[in-house]
Amino acid sequence: MPIEKIPEKNAVLFVWFNHYAGVLVKTPSKTLIVDPVDIKARSFPNADAILITHEHYDHLDQRLVTEIQKATNCTIIADPASAKRLQHAIPTGKLQQIRPGEETKVGEVSVKAEGCNHPAELPVTFIITSEDGVKIYHTADSLPFPELAKMGEKEKFDVVFCTVGIAPGTSPRTGFEIARLTKPQVAVPYHTNSPDYQNRFAEIIKKELPRTACLVPEIGKIYQVQKRSDPT
Ligand SMILES: [Zn+2]
């Protein structure tokens, strides 16, 4: 899956690569991989950073993360429980622990951790802001929570990934609630092996949130998203 393509100015590329929260984000300058599992390390020869949201098996594969890190010398940015499990495998200086409310940089790309409504030790969600100001919100396995509304107002997200299945309590409806609260330009249903669930999410968006576009991704396909032109 190495992406040769480079996004246009004020855009990013993304690929959803497993049935969970596995997402590759490519900005003009950096490639970030979120929660790699169920994929070969050689899929990511250009990784600059790996972001881990929580320690569950469908998000953290210590061996795979270690293998990608060795091959690319990328930085690992992980929630505290995952960072603890990785600390003996990743060289010092290449592993950063991140907690909700903290922000770090990968070159010119900003990575900010927020809270996550999911039963893990201290799970995080990630706001990724490209060097051009394209804002992606990766909500991991989160169920909706009230603070999302304020974040949506403040950040003006271009893309939000919304869990619609597999994780406890989640459904197309809870995924929709995340989109309703965060009000992105583009909502992306993921974390499911059911196209039916993704389509149900798309139907609810169309009916109840007509100003938000829904992008139903296929695994392994490359999508480009532009920064919103009208930041209101
Ligand atoms: Zn999960």
Side-chain angles (χ1 to χ4, degrees):
M1 205 182 52
I3 302 188
E4 309 296 339
K5 248 170 93 176
I6 291 177
E8 288 164 24
K9 197 163 167 41
N10 299 320
V12 298
L13 302 175
F14 79 81
V15 179
W16 180 42
F17 58 78
N18 59 25
H19 289 297
Y20 309 110
V23 175
L24 175 153
V25 173
K26 185 165 181 178
T27 78
S29 68
K30 297 289 175 196
T31 300
L32 286 73
I33 319 290
V34 187
D35 287 357
V37 303
D38 282 359
I39 192 151
K40 298 264 191 286
R42 64 168 181 270
S43 302
F44 308 118
N46 306 314
D48 296 295
I50 298 176
L51 279 47
I52 307 289
T53 62
H54 63 292
E55 72 278 18
H56 293 163
Y57 73 93
D58 56 330
H59 298 263
L60 171 64
D61 175 340
Q62 287 151 250
R63 257 170 88 176
L64 178 62
V65 170
T66 305
E67 214 182 315
I68 301 170
Q69 203 284 327
K70 272 211 178 98
T72 61
N73 200 30
C74 67
T75 299
I76 317 294
I77 300 164
D79 66 283
S82 301
K84 200 167 171 195
R85 292 185 191 192
L86 289 165
Q87 66 187 349
H88 298 298
I90 306 295
T92 319
K94 286 291 173 181
L95 176 62
Q96 296 180 27
Q97 174 189 277
I98 197 162
R99 294 167 164 270
E102 292 178 350
E103 186 170 1
T104 186
K105 286 269 187 159
V106 181
E108 299 287 297
V109 177
S110 151
V111 174
K112 185 173 186 211
E114 293 285 355
C116 180
N117 180 9
H118 180 65
E121 208 173 294
L122 187 56
V124 297
T125 56
F126 286 114
I127 299 174
I128 301 167
T129 308
S130 78
E131 61 269 46
D132 295 332
V134 184
K135 288 221 179 226
I136 299 151
Y137 189 22
H138 184 288
T139 68
D141 283 12
S142 194
L143 286 162
F145 56 98
E147 292 78 10
L148 290 173
K150 258 202 189 125
M151 270 156 56
E153 262 169 49
K154 180 176 161 222
E155 304 282 354
K156 310 227 183 312
F157 295 119
D158 294 296
V159 189
V160 175
F161 288 89
C162 308
T163 288
V164 298
I166 304 174
T170 61
S171 66
R173 178 52 67 176
T174 63
F176 165 76
E177 266 307 300
I178 289 194
R180 189 184 67 78
L181 291 164
T182 54
K183 291 193 178 44
Q185 180 192 181
V186 180
V188 180
Y190 79 156
H191 208 281
T192 182
N193 47 26
S194 159
D196 191 46
Y197 273 33
Q198 291 179 292
N199 292 333
R200 274 167 56 196
F201 173 91
E203 280 161 29
I204 308 172
I205 293 270
K206 205 173 160 191
K207 222 168 94 190
E208 301 186 29
L209 210 59
R211 291 182 61 185
T212 290
C214 180
L215 192 166
V216 176
E218 274 176 49
I219 287 178
K221 262 183 107 169
I222 303 172
Y223 298 92
Q224 177 167 284
V225 183
Q226 293 278 347
K227 185 160 76 179
R228 62 169 95 196
S229 42
D230 161 30
T232 51

